[in-house]
Amino acid sequence: MLIIIYALLNVRFMPRVYSRYGVFMLYPVALMVVSMYGWASIGFHVHTAVQTLVALISGMACLVSLDIAFRLKHLDWAYAVRLIVVAYWVSFGIGVLEFLAVHGHAPAVTWLARRVLKRNYVPNHVQFLFAEPSYVGMHVFGVLMPLYWLTKRKRVAVLTLSYALGAAAMGVGVRILIDTVVALLLWLVVAVNLHRLSNIVITIAGLGTVGIGGSVMMLHNPRIESMLANGPVNGDFSAVARLFRALAPAEAWKTDWVHFLFGFGIGNLKDAIARGYESAVQTLTSMGGKPQSNEEIRLLGNPPGDHYIFTMSAYVDAITEFGLLMCLTGVLLLLMHITRNRAWNKMTVCWVILLVYLYIQFEGYAFYALWLFIWVVGTRVYGQKGDSGEQLSAL
């Protein structure tokens, strides 16, 4: 909300922002126009439609605010990065306290977490200051690691590695283990100069070490062990529920190609889940699963409220609400944006791959990982020789 307010208070800069990012600013309008088909043919749910629209507006406000603050008003980029480092170190420190609470050594932290955090997982899991423990990777690798690529600041690198390895060591969840392996592999590719044979050998060795080490860590995780022993559809309660949330709307796509192409309409995710619910149950059952014994899946059949309707995947959400054609249009716009600003290089490719991976299990349209990438590419200094951080701060 603060970002939206900032954009509104600086609305006089909007024409200059539009001249550079106009196509992205108009994209949500196009989504609303296309959604009229879904609204007319399926229905219009005010609450969920507003939720999606606010998320899209919030993401757009992030893009606009970054451009206003650092390109147009020339605020200190280096100072902003220092503030981010401090903020994330504070959240990491909170996570350490939560780790103590998980093991019963800090009851005061448990008491405070239950009264302060909107969605509290303490003392069962460490969640730092995030709404979900599984969101750690979005922050560490969606924000902090790209900031290191841009600034080359050692303090950002130390924070990124400390956060990732610390979260993995504290047993935050399975996802942070997988995220860390994927991100470190991409980090190696970006960091090493591949024009020398010795560096290529070092990179291959590093990739092998990270891959093998990460695999060993994951294989010793109780949840991974359970899935290997009991199968992917019976081994883990949370994993099966996430799979079902993505499978149900996908089953609806199969029987309704028109809405698959043009979308069920903004805010109509729950209609798609309802249409595909029984087919998804049958699919998991045919795979040897027992979806009806999963309380989360049962509740999804008769959800207690709109807050319970989510898929945990940006791709499933976007295709369901906006349609495949508009999603492909968005991808095309992003690729054209990179090409127009001559930003294609090794870092760009790795950053795009990282974003594509991270949003597989994250559905927040407003989250700033994607919008940060769009803005940095649009600064037109990204990818040039020199310290990107200094170039950005000089805009």
Side-chain angles (χ1 to χ4, degrees):
M1 300 312 297
L2 289 174
I3 292 175
I4 292 176
I5 293 172
Y6 181 83
L8 292 175
L9 291 175
N10 290 277
V11 69
R12 67 186 185 278
F13 292 99
M14 207 65 71
R16 296 170 65 184
V17 176
Y18 180 83
S19 66
R20 186 163 293 197
Y21 300 99
V23 65
F24 294 105
M25 296 171 71
L26 290 176
Y27 185 65
V29 178
L31 295 179
M32 293 179 63
V33 172
V34 175
S35 288
M36 290 181 181
Y37 169 71
W39 291 338
S41 57
I42 294 177
F44 180 77
H45 306 292
V46 176
H47 184 223
T48 51
V50 168
Q51 281 184 322
T52 298
L53 290 172
V54 168
L56 290 170
I57 292 171
S58 298
M60 200 58 58
C62 179
L63 172 63
V64 170
S65 295
L66 284 170
D67 202 46
I68 292 173
F70 299 113
R71 185 176 70 91
L72 301 179
K73 298 183 75 172
H74 304 289
L75 299 186
D76 190 344
W77 168 262
Y79 182 66
V81 172
R82 286 199 296 272
L83 289 178
I84 288 174
V85 169
V86 170
Y88 277 105
W89 271 123
V90 169
S91 72
F92 183 78
I94 297 296
V96 173
L97 295 178
E98 291 173 351
F99 179 73
L100 296 176
V102 168
H103 292 275
H105 303 304
V109 175
T110 301
W111 179 89
L112 188 62
R114 287 173 175 169
R115 286 158 178 79
V116 174
L117 297 178
K118 182 178 181 180
R119 299 185 65 186
N120 176 48
Y121 287 81
V122 181
N124 298 317
H125 296 286
V126 174
Q127 68 183 99
F128 301 99
L129 288 176
F130 308 133
E132 289 274 353
S134 59
Y135 292 166
V136 177
M138 289 300 302
H139 288 264
V140 176
F141 302 122
V143 179
L144 292 179
M145 195 165 83
L147 283 181
Y148 170 70
W149 286 344
L150 292 171
T151 65
K152 302 299 187 293
R153 300 291 191 265
K154 290 183 179 180
R155 65 182 68 182
V156 182
V158 171
L159 170 59
T160 304
L161 292 174
S162 298
Y163 222 126
L165 299 178
M170 286 188 276
V172 171
V174 174
R175 181 178 176 182
I176 188 60
L177 297 176
I178 302 173
D179 288 356
T180 300
V181 172
V182 173
L184 289 182
L185 293 176
L186 292 172
W187 192 333
L188 274 173
V189 174
V190 171
V192 177
N193 183 352
L194 299 178
H195 290 94
R196 295 182 179 179
L197 179 61
S198 59
N199 288 344
I200 295 176
V201 174
I202 293 173
T203 302
I204 294 174
L207 293 175
T209 302
V210 172
I212 294 172
S215 299
V216 171
M217 288 182 62
M218 285 187 284
L219 290 175
H220 284 81
N221 182 276
R223 291 175 62 186
I224 297 293
E225 290 178 344
S226 177
M227 283 188 280
L228 291 175
N230 302 300
V233 295
N234 286 314
D236 185 73
F237 171 93
S238 178
V240 174
R242 289 192 183 195
L243 174 61
F244 187 88
R245 288 181 180 277
L247 184 60
E251 290 288 344
W253 303 343
K254 290 163 56 177
T255 58
D256 193 340
W257 282 89
V258 178
H259 283 110
F260 172 58
L261 292 175
F262 296 98
F264 288 74
I266 290 176
N268 288 347
L269 179 62
K270 62 181 181 181
D271 296 278
I273 291 178
R275 290 186 178 193
Y277 184 88
E278 292 300 330
S279 296
V281 169
Q282 294 174 11
T283 299
L284 287 182
T285 302
S286 66
M287 296 170 62
K290 299 177 182 178
Q292 293 294 0
S293 64
N294 188 302
E295 180 64 19
E296 185 173 339
I297 293 177
R298 285 207 309 270
L299 283 175
L300 200 59
N302 187 23
D306 290 338
H307 67 281
Y308 201 75
I309 305 297
F310 56 89
T311 69
M312 295 291 286
S313 172
Y315 305 112
V316 177
D317 271 25
I319 292 174
T320 302
E321 292 190 279
F322 313 141
L324 180 63
L325 295 180
M326 287 306 297
C327 289
L328 292 177
T329 299
V331 172
L332 180 61
L333 292 177
L334 185 62
L335 296 178
M336 291 174 59
H337 178 63
I338 299 171
T339 303
R340 184 173 59 253
N341 289 286
R342 301 178 181 178
W344 284 112
N345 56 35
K346 183 173 64 173
M347 187 189 300
T348 302
V349 174
C350 289
W351 197 348
V352 169
I353 293 173
L354 183 62
L355 289 173
V356 169
Y357 163 75
L358 289 174
Y359 279 93
I360 291 174
Q361 288 194 73
F362 184 78
E363 60 185 346
Y365 299 142
F367 190 71
Y368 38 88
L370 174 62
W371 306 106
L372 174 65
F373 174 77
I374 292 174
W375 175 71
V376 169
V377 169
T379 59
R380 298 176 183 172
V381 299
Y382 171 60
Q384 296 180 12
K385 294 182 179 180
D387 189 325
S388 299
E390 292 180 359
Q391 294 179 44
L392 287 171
S393 63
L395 286 174

